[in-house]
Amino acid sequence: MKRTVIIFAGLVCILLVPTVYGQEKVRVEKDLLGQKEIPVEAYYGVQTARALENFQISGIPINHYPGFVQAWAIVKLAAARANTDVGAMKPEKLAMIESACKAVLDGKYHDQFQVDWYQGGAGTSTNMNANEVLANIALELSGHQKGEYRFLDPHDDLNMSQSTNDSYPTAIKVAFLLRNDKLVEELQQLVASFRRKGDAYLEMVKMGRTEMQDAVPMTVGQELHAFAASLESEIHLLRDAEKYLYPVNMGATAIGTGLNAPKGYAERCATHLAELTGKPIVPASDMLAATWDQQGFVVYSAALRSTAVKLSKIASDLILLTSGPRAGLFEINLPALQPGSSIMPGKVNPVIPELMNLVAFRVIGNDYSVSLAADHGQLQLNAYEPIEGLAVIESQSLLYRASIAFRTKCIDGITVNERMLEHYMETTVGIVTALNPVLGYDKATELASEAYKTNKGILEIIREKHLLSEQQIKELLDPVKLTGLDRTKYRKQ
């Protein structure tokens, strides 16, 4: 910006005039390294501009995940309100910051949050990106020009009573908390989808398998309801893990001693964060520990990994159950979504369960990244929180989107090949287990061995040898009875 001094009606006025270099208008800002030209239309400032030059690494800017940008607006708004509560900030400046944060929470200006997730400095570039953008939004909305920091400053006002070392991990936690609700809601819908499909096939008998060998009878509905129940346990785990994100270190400032933070600020900031998020956020009991301790990130990431492992197991089971169709199990059909081969006509692949596995593998890898980052911080700070933030937010996003695809493009469209299930029940040897109490284990083993050698069914051999009457066969080997199906259990779901 070029400063032009004019005298009008006895008043001295200073105008900030955009300087033109070539065809691009710029303003000039400075930091400890000197002056730097900033595009005049940019809401970010000098420190963001340096970060954009230094960290062109992944091509994934922080605004790739809008929830993270909104989390920053929440943190900066809570901090400004807390500073005002304790008398450190004037209400006029709070009003300016309120307007800027509201605009970002409404989805505006997200394109200005541009720094790469991969950055050195423990998140300082991201914190300053938020400080500068919010300051310039506030200035413009209040009738000033971008860069007129004497009215509202990125450091003195937006970063008041803060350090990157407390605002950055808090913003990450807020982002995780808000996105966890969204993920849980989707997983609940996936559970409901399995429950509905389980109800539809509740009494359809099939053979269960252990170690890929015939075991004992069950129903298709029991199998599908078991998938649902196992996912419900993951939902409980995600909710429990969320609790480790509630303590925050806002007010810790640089290392946890609270340098430059007014008395009462930490408590008021946590209160405002709780109000803005609807979560029971509290100040950490030991700010020094909280500034370097990564337990919340490790625990929550582990819950995402557990969820991914469960979804992968279910997806792999569906791939087995639909295998074939002529040379596999072929117990169920999955929706045909696309041709499966560029060379083999008629082939259709289980692409959605495969997709779920791909996502699960990534989430598991992300969790390992979180573990490494949490382990490698030194002394009073962990500089590797940026990768933890990206890894977990990516995992949340992938699981959320993959769950939607799994539910709508796979689970909702499952059908059962009843004739194939009947064939397996007629030819299986697995039901011989039910004869142990009557004939004994050794005799039952002889029957199983003969069935395998002669390729006959167990019922056929029993009838040939007159080992049981028809009434006994009906009572002992009724497939439905062998499943132990309790219909009332599923009516309560």
Side-chain angles (χ1 to χ4, degrees):
M1 291 279 188
K2 179 181 178 182
R3 290 180 178 269
T4 300
V5 180
I6 63 173
I7 300 176
F8 178 75
L11 299 175
V12 177
C13 302
I14 299 176
L15 301 181
L16 291 174
V17 181
T19 305
V20 179
Y21 294 82
Q23 298 298 315
E24 184 180 11
K25 293 182 178 180
V26 299
R27 68 179 187 269
V28 177
E29 293 189 15
K30 65 179 181 179
D31 60 10
L32 67 86
L33 298 183
Q35 293 186 337
K36 191 164 188 62
E37 297 170 5
I38 309 296
V40 72
E41 72 277 3
Y43 287 85
Y44 58 79
V46 60
Q47 288 195 237
T48 302
R50 295 197 191 281
L52 292 175
E53 292 178 350
N54 293 333
F55 306 122
Q56 293 292 333
I57 306 300
S58 69
I60 305 174
I62 59 173
N63 65 17
H64 183 76
Y65 297 102
F68 186 53
V69 174
Q70 291 175 326
W72 275 104
I74 288 172
V75 169
K76 294 300 177 179
L77 178 55
R81 288 178 176 177
N83 278 313
T84 305
D85 290 345
V86 298
M89 179 175 285
K90 294 181 179 180
E92 297 79 22
K93 289 191 174 182
L94 170 62
M96 295 174 69
I97 295 173
E98 291 256 10
S99 64
C101 291
K102 182 180 184 303
V104 171
L105 289 171
D106 288 341
K108 301 175 183 177
Y109 304 102
H110 282 212
D111 62 319
Q112 298 297 306
F113 293 78
Q114 297 181 7
V115 298
D116 198 294
W117 268 99
Y118 286 80
Q119 55 188 264
T124 297
S125 297
T126 297
N127 183 32
M128 287 311 302
N129 193 174
N131 287 333
E132 291 172 346
V133 169
L134 289 169
N136 281 312
I137 294 171
L139 287 169
E140 194 172 76
L141 291 178
S142 59
H144 302 289
Q145 294 186 48
K146 293 189 285 289
E148 290 191 295
Y149 296 140
R150 66 186 183 279
F151 298 107
L152 192 73
D153 187 81
H155 286 97
D156 294 337
D157 299 313
L158 269 299
N159 206 57
M160 181 184 287
S161 308
Q162 301 161 63
S163 162
T164 295
N165 302 346
D166 57 10
S167 61
Y168 189 82
T170 300
I172 292 176
K173 287 182 177 182
V174 168
F176 292 175
L177 288 170
L178 296 180
R179 295 172 72 89
N180 191 50
D181 284 346
K182 190 176 180 181
L183 175 59
V184 165
E185 288 172 4
E186 168 51 36
L187 291 174
Q188 287 173 327
Q189 292 191 56
L190 179 59
V191 166
S193 180
F194 274 115
R195 293 288 187 196
R196 286 191 297 270
K197 195 62 62 171
D199 288 341
Y201 297 110
L202 186 58
E203 300 191 21
M204 187 167 290
V205 180
K206 60 164 286 181
M207 278 304 297
R209 296 179 181 84
T210 58
E211 299 177 77
M212 289 306 298
Q213 304 296 305
D214 293 359
V216 296
M218 65 186 305
T219 74
V220 175
Q222 285 175 316
E223 189 168 41
L224 294 170
H225 276 293
F227 289 155
S230 68
L231 285 174
E232 285 175 334
S233 70
E234 301 301 330
I235 291 173
H236 292 316
L237 181 61
L238 286 170
R239 284 175 168 159
D240 287 341
E242 175 185 293
K243 298 173 183 177
Y244 291 84
L245 300 172
Y246 295 156
V248 299
N249 70 327
M250 287 296 281
T253 65
I255 65 170
T257 59
L259 180 66
N260 295 339
K263 184 178 180 180
Y265 163 80
E267 292 76 17
R268 293 303 303 154
C269 192
T271 297
H272 287 298
L273 285 170
E275 292 172 351
L276 288 166
T277 62
K279 300 291 184 178
I281 292 174
V282 295
S285 59
D286 187 315
M287 289 292 187
L288 282 160
T291 304
W292 61 260
D293 191 351
Q294 307 293 291
Q295 184 188 46
F297 298 155
V298 171
V299 170
Y300 183 69
S301 178
L304 292 173
R305 182 199 66 223
S306 180
T307 302
V309 169
K310 188 66 62 64
L311 286 167
S312 180
K313 193 276 182 193
I314 293 171
S316 295
D317 281 356
L318 294 180
I319 291 171
L320 278 175
L321 292 172
T322 194
S323 61
R326 300 294 174 84
L329 298 184
F330 195 45
E331 290 192 2
I332 64 172
N333 302 298
L334 303 182
L337 299 181
Q338 62 188 58
S341 174
S342 60
I343 188 175
M344 293 175 281
K347 191 171 187 288
V348 177
N349 295 326
V351 292
I352 298 300
E354 290 171 346
L355 168 68
M356 181 56 74
N357 275 331
L358 291 177
V359 166
F361 303 157
R362 179 69 173 193
V363 173
I364 293 167
N366 281 344
D367 178 64
Y368 186 54
S369 295
V370 171
S371 297
L372 287 175
D375 176 52
H376 278 69
Q378 297 91 24
L379 302 177
Q380 279 69 57
L381 180 66
N382 189 304
Y384 306 112
E385 286 173 347
I387 192 60
E388 294 177 88
L390 175 59
V392 172
I393 287 179
E394 182 189 49
S395 292
Q396 286 180 313
S397 180
L398 287 173
L399 287 172
Y400 173 74
R401 295 179 183 180
S403 178
I404 293 174
F406 199 35
R407 171 171 55 86
T408 61
K409 297 180 183 294
C410 182
I411 309 307
D412 287 345
I414 288 176
T415 58
V416 172
N417 295 314
E418 191 169 356
R419 289 180 59 186
M420 185 61 72
L421 297 182
E422 291 174 351
H423 167 71
Y424 289 144
M425 287 302 301
E426 290 171 359
T427 58
T428 185
V429 177
I431 59 173
V432 74
T433 302
L435 299 178
N436 284 351
V438 178
L439 302 179
Y441 182 86
D442 289 341
K443 185 62 177 179
T445 299
E446 289 179 16
L447 293 175
S449 178
E450 183 176 348
Y452 283 126
K453 290 177 181 177
T454 62
N455 201 29
K456 294 180 180 180
I458 286 294
L459 290 178
E460 183 179 357
I461 295 175
I462 289 173
R463 288 188 172 102
E464 286 179 356
K465 296 180 177 295
H466 304 291
L467 296 174
L468 297 173
S469 67
E470 288 300 321
Q471 184 61 31
Q472 287 176 309
I473 291 174
K474 184 177 180 180
E475 292 176 356
L476 294 173
L477 300 179
D478 178 359
V480 176
K481 289 183 178 179
L482 294 179
T483 66
L485 178 64
D486 181 358
R487 295 166 182 81
T488 62
K489 174 182 176 181
Y490 301 108
R491 293 194 187 105
K492 297 176 183 178
Q493 302 298 335

